[in-house]
Structures are given as structure tokens and as C-alpha cells.
Amino acid sequence: MAVQYSRRPPSSSFDSDSHDMNRAPGNYREREPPSDDDDAASDMSEDLVEIPSEDIPDYFQERGGRLFHSHGASPYPLPVDAEEQQRQNGLNTLLRRLIGDFSVGPVGEVLADALGEQRRVLDLGTGTGQWVLDMARDFPRARFYGVDIVPIATRYPPHNVQFEMHDIKEAFRFDSASIDFVHARMISMAIRDYGALLPEIARVLRRGGLFVSSEWGRRPIMVDGSDLAVRAPHTSEFFTAVRETLRERRGIHTVAPGIPRLLDDSGCFVNIVPRRYYMPIGDWHTDPELRELGREYREMVELYARSMRAVLIEGRWAADADALIEGYIQETWRVRGMVSVYYTVHARRV
Ligand SMILES: C[S@@+](CC[C@H](N)C(=O)[O-])C[C@H]1O[C@@H](n2cnc3c(N)ncnc32)[C@H](O)[C@@H]1O
């Protein structure tokens, strides 16, 4: 069962269309009755129910001053509050600059107008939904669906966008062969078994439909091939602690480099094209564009490191969590030549 957000307009006392994640759950105000204008834009089916505004706080829980999802089954460890939303939106912009587009792969070809048929795009673990909103502007005739276990995307999207609550471990509500493009970015911590997701993605994709996955490698590397543990020992320790704690406490493994193989093994995809991009951490690069990118990305890295505190305090490194985080952040200012590896892969449905 998927859940659509209520499309009721905000009351005058609560004008923002996004939720203030720094408020404690339970502080959201009630909204006005639905307006007729919204009906034309909704895409209801028997499997879709609306979340009343007053139920929204139930999808969050507070721990240590940060807000997290309250979904019992998802291992996803990061907060979903204002700071984390700032990180997601910031990365969305920086990744577009790094790869030169909103997505790798033959997106224009797959979403080209087809006589009498509206193209349909499904974004998994959509978060704030910024990728969907940007794409929906570029492809105004296509229909976009963004699904997540927390309602942090806008409740007032444009006419061709629908955000829904859905656990990606469950079957999608969409018919077989009804989707043209499935997009999955930075969802590797949302599921324990990435390979198990692929048959359901393949089911909803039409023949020739496009799947695009993009994930960060679990630790940075040195661009000149030197040893991270020597050049940036605190960074290396931070990522070892994160990787081991995710594995031991949450059953989450590093998957990014292995996704092309999983696609191939599934037997459902062809034209599998893996790529790697290198995002500079800090403003050390000689190319002015990459130097600026690295300077802005460093801010996202700092937000990530602080969000990862929630993971580190669960495991063997709990007592050292703050020192590990600060050590890593210090090195992002000092060590030149450190890059994050961004793995993308695109493939077509057989
Ligand atoms: C790192 S964020 C990425 C957001 C977005 N894809 C982007 O690229 O900006 C991961 C998202 O996955 C969502 N998530 C975690 N477990 C999930 C699940 N089982 N089903 C759907 N979404 C999930 C989280 O709530 C979070 O919004």
C-alpha cells in the first residue's frame, strides 16, 4: 500500500510548504479542507491513501536532538531533519555540476514523446525530491513519482509530480511495464540487499526502459593513488569505523562498485554502462571549476560527518565518535588531493 501526502493547502498560520524538521513531532498545525483545484493533479488509485496532516509527526522520531525516520524495518541510519535536507539539496546541485546533467544515461531518448502515451519516471528514496522537481521542469510532459518512507518532499509539487510514502523493499503499486525510467540515487543505506530490489525494478520498467543507479563509494581516495591511511589517517579511521558499524549494527554493506555486476546477474538488464566520477574534497584543485566544486562539497562532507555521529555511537567506536568526526573534518581542510568516488551505472530493461 502506498500513501499519498494530503494535498490540502496550508493554513494561514503555517505558510511554509515544507516541514520544519527542527520542531518536535506533534507541533504541526492542522490544515484547511481540500481545494477542488488539487483534484485534477492527483493520481489516485485503489492502492493509494492520503495521509492526514495530523499523522505526519508519526513518521519521525527524535534522538539526540536530531530527527530520524520512525519506520521500524528500514536500516537507514541518517537523520532526515533540516540539516540533512540541506545536504541532500546541496548535493543535488553539486552532482549536476560534476556529471554535467541531472542524470547519466540516454534520458532524453527514453523520455522522448511517444504518440498517445505519457512517459513515467519513478525515483526511489526521493528524500526532499529535489531531483524529481528539477527533472519535472526539464520534462514537463512526463509524469514523475518520488517515493520515500518519510514525507520530507514538498506537499505542493507541480502538476506532473507526485510524492508518495512507500518502502522500496515492498512491491511497487505500479503495473508491470508501466514505467519508462527508474532512478535510484544514494539509497545504498536504505536497503540491506540491493540485488533483491532489481527484479521489482525490472517488473515495472517497460522493455527498453532505463534504470540509473548512483552511489558514493564508502571512503574517499587520494587522486594521485597514494595511501589514504598515510596521507589522511583520521579520515581513514573515520571511514573504517563507519563501514564496520554499518555492517555490524545495521547489516548495511558497501555496494556501489558491485551494482553493475548485480544488474548483469539479474538477467533483466542489458547495455550496462558503469562510470566513476571524482568529487574533490576541499579547494585544492588547479581547475577553477573543480576548485569551487570542492570548496562547496567540503561543506556537504562536514554535514555528512556530523550526521554519521548517529551511526558511530551505536557501535564499537561510540566513545571515540566525536574525535573521529573532528579528525576527519580537520583533514578535509588540510589534506590536498582527497576525492570522493561517485559510481553511476545505467542499463536498459531487456
Ligand atoms: C541519502 S537520501 C537520498 C535522497 C535522494 N535520493 C537524493 O539523491 O537526494 C536516502 C533516502 O532514502 C530514504 N529511505 C530509507 N529507507 C527507505 C525505504 N525502505 N524505502 C524508501 N525510502 C527509503 C530516506 O528516508 C532518505 O530520504
Side-chain angles (χ1 to χ4, degrees):
M1 170 85 62
V3 182
Q4 184 193 27
Y5 304 0
S6 165
R7 299 176 64 87
R8 295 177 208 175
S11 66
S12 54
S13 55
F14 186 59
D15 282 332
S16 164
D17 81 340
S18 64
H19 311 297
D20 181 349
M21 291 302 129
N22 288 324
R23 292 191 211 188
N27 281 352
Y28 301 100
R29 308 235 171 113
E30 223 175 306
R31 299 188 177 228
E32 302 291 329
S35 90
D36 292 343
D37 296 351
D38 288 322
D39 289 346
S42 72
D43 180 3
M44 299 297 284
S45 83
E46 282 177 6
D47 293 335
L48 207 54
V49 296
E50 229 181 59
I51 317 173
S53 301
E54 54 274 20
D55 287 356
I56 284 190
D58 297 346
Y59 291 89
F60 302 95
Q61 56 174 255
E62 193 182 345
R63 290 200 313 271
R66 309 265 333 237
L67 273 194
F68 295 82
H69 71 82
S70 62
H71 191 283
S74 172
Y76 187 69
L78 294 183
V80 292
D81 52 14
E83 259 176 85
E84 180 58 19
Q85 291 179 37
Q86 182 194 345
R87 188 180 77 89
Q88 284 183 20
N89 291 341
L91 283 177
N92 182 65
T93 306
L94 298 182
L95 287 170
R96 185 181 188 192
R97 281 160 55 190
L98 182 72
I99 68 176
D101 210 338
F102 285 126
S103 173
V104 296
V107 175
E109 181 193 326
V110 168
L111 296 187
D113 286 344
L115 218 54
E117 267 181 46
Q118 188 176 36
R119 295 303 193 190
R120 285 153 54 104
V121 181
L122 173 60
D123 185 37
L124 309 184
T126 199
T128 61
Q130 197 53 53
W131 181 86
V132 164
L133 296 171
D134 289 341
M135 284 287 290
R137 240 187 342 264
D138 271 15
F139 294 94
R141 285 193 293 278
R143 180 106 180 105
F144 288 81
Y145 302 88
V147 298
D148 205 289
I149 49 166
V150 283
I152 57 174
T154 176
R155 310 178 89 192
Y156 309 102
H159 70 283
N160 58 336
V161 171
Q162 181 152 307
F163 291 116
E164 300 176 11
M165 303 282 298
H166 175 76
D167 178 352
I168 55 174
K169 269 204 349 288
E170 310 283 328
F172 301 121
R173 71 177 179 85
F174 303 99
D175 290 340
S176 298
S178 65
I179 302 287
D180 298 281
F181 175 16
V182 174
H183 179 256
R185 187 175 69 180
M186 296 187 274
I187 62 157
S188 66
M189 288 191 287
I191 35 167
R192 296 192 174 94
D193 184 356
Y194 201 99
L197 200 59
L198 299 179
E200 182 60 5
I201 291 173
R203 181 186 71 76
V204 296
L205 274 176
R206 66 163 162 88
R207 275 175 83 88
L210 178 66
F211 174 57
V212 173
S213 153
S214 314
E215 298 291 341
W216 294 105
R218 196 63 86 210
R219 62 168 59 222
I221 60 169
M222 298 306 301
V223 78
D224 62 4
S226 56
D227 187 351
L228 184 78
V230 174
R231 298 281 307 282
H234 295 298
T235 301
S236 181
E237 282 164 20
F238 170 85
F239 280 97
T240 299
V242 165
R243 188 195 58 214
E244 290 302 301
T245 309
L246 284 173
R247 190 175 59 79
E248 290 169 8
R249 309 296 301 190
R250 302 241 164 195
I252 299 171
H253 301 270
T254 306
V255 290
I259 294 174
R261 167 61 71 87
L262 293 173
L263 286 165
D264 199 23
D265 289 349
S266 75
C268 301
F269 296 92
V270 288
N271 302 340
I272 300 167
V273 181
R275 290 205 182 119
R276 283 179 199 195
Y277 295 85
Y278 300 99
M279 179 75 95
I281 305 176
D283 60 355
W284 51 266
H285 210 285
T286 50
D287 177 277
E289 169 69 26
L290 288 170
R291 186 163 60 242
E292 177 57 20
L293 205 54
R295 193 185 63 72
E296 292 177 40
Y297 178 61
R298 207 208 61 78
E299 291 172 26
M300 303 302 122
V301 163
E302 185 163 343
L303 290 172
Y304 171 82
R306 299 202 186 286
S307 288
M308 269 298 170
R309 186 172 193 281
V311 170
L312 290 173
I313 60 173
E314 286 181 349
R316 285 191 273 147
W317 283 268
D320 305 323
D322 292 321
L324 285 164
I325 293 163
E326 293 311 318
Y328 172 38
I329 291 172
Q330 290 301 318
E331 285 181 344
T332 65
W333 287 101
R334 276 195 283 110
V335 178
R336 301 171 67 80
M338 212 158 40
V339 292
S340 292
V341 187
Y342 187 63
Y343 293 83
T344 68
V345 54
H346 58 92
R348 304 292 281 258
R349 174 76 169 98
V350 284

